[in-house]
Amino acid sequence: MFPASLLSTLLLVLTVSANPIVVRESQVKLPLSRRLNVTSVHNLLRHDVARAKFLRARAEAKLSGTSAFDTRADVNEQVDNQAVTYIAAVGVGSPATTPVTTTPPASEFWGISQSIQYGTRTTILTENSGIVDTGTTLLLLASDAFARYLSATGAVEDNTTGLLRLTSAQFANLQSLFFLINGATFEFTANAQAWPRTLNSAIGGTTNNVYLIVGDLGTPSGEGFDFVNGFAFLERFYSVFDTTNKRVGFATTQFTTATSN
């Protein structure tokens, strides 16, 4: 038999142990804040070019044996917000594929080789290497290729958005771009080249204007980083990134030639 005082103590301990302890005010203090961003994107082109500069600088630093954390691999650019991101689940059969390029610095990423033609006669870019990048919004071209596209379309730079702008009459005559990738041709229609009109206000644009998603990469062709096929290109095709076999595949979809965007 236990003494009465010991039993009382045991019962008290069991009672305390059986009841959960509620912490009504945490002793851990963290400086948390919630901010809602409603400022939208001020300049998609500047955002994408800054990303391209960083990717190229990082690749060149790696290829030269320089640490990616070395200041020579730094790119200082103003930070802007991304406008719109889409996620889609798709099924893919046997798309046309191309091996990843061995040309640096594009070889450090999902790099491919391609040529681009405007309409049936105008060469925009001869076959050169660049990258496919889901983190870039626009289609970026080397400066000389961009100049040829500018001349072919008659577009002008819009000071507010930083994008190219067409009149309604010019857009009506806009020709398709044709991407020749490893023997396969992919058509990029006039509507594919236009920023979605319903989202003009998201980039600070005017409701009825036609803006183009082709931008100037800011560097000349022939340097192994001549284009960035960004999301505006990728959303029109099924895209397959085959790590095991080191290749990239593209296939058309019902949205490839859609007249709305």
Side-chain angles (χ1 to χ4, degrees), residues 151-232:
S151 175
T153 61
V156 296
E157 183 178 342
D158 183 76
N159 292 329
T160 302
T161 64
L163 301 181
L164 294 180
R165 186 182 74 246
L166 292 177
T167 65
S168 297
Q170 288 174 319
F171 179 66
N173 293 317
L174 187 65
Q175 302 295 303
S176 292
L177 286 172
F178 295 92
F179 292 72
L180 182 61
I181 304 173
N182 197 30
T185 301
F186 299 92
E187 182 178 4
F188 201 58
T189 64
N191 272 284
Q193 296 168 58
W195 174 259
R197 268 81 80 193
T198 56
L199 296 177
N200 280 357
S201 60
I203 58 173
T206 302
T207 302
N208 295 322
N209 280 353
V210 178
Y211 302 102
L212 300 178
I213 53 80
V214 179
D216 186 355
L217 187 56
T219 53
S221 62
E223 296 185 349
F225 203 94
D226 292 3
F227 58 85
V228 179
N229 289 0
F231 194 81

Side-chain angles (χ1 to χ4, degrees), residues 2 5-15:
F2 294 107
S5 59
L6 180 57
L7 286 173
S8 299
T9 302
L10 288 172
L11 288 173
L12 178 60
V13 170
L14 289 173
T15 301

Side-chain angles (χ1 to χ4, degrees), residues 34-50:
R34 180 177 181 270
R35 294 186 175 90
L36 178 62
N37 187 350
V38 294
T39 59
S40 183
V41 175
H42 299 293
N43 196 311
L44 278 176
L45 179 61
R46 186 170 65 240
H47 174 279
D48 279 357
V49 170

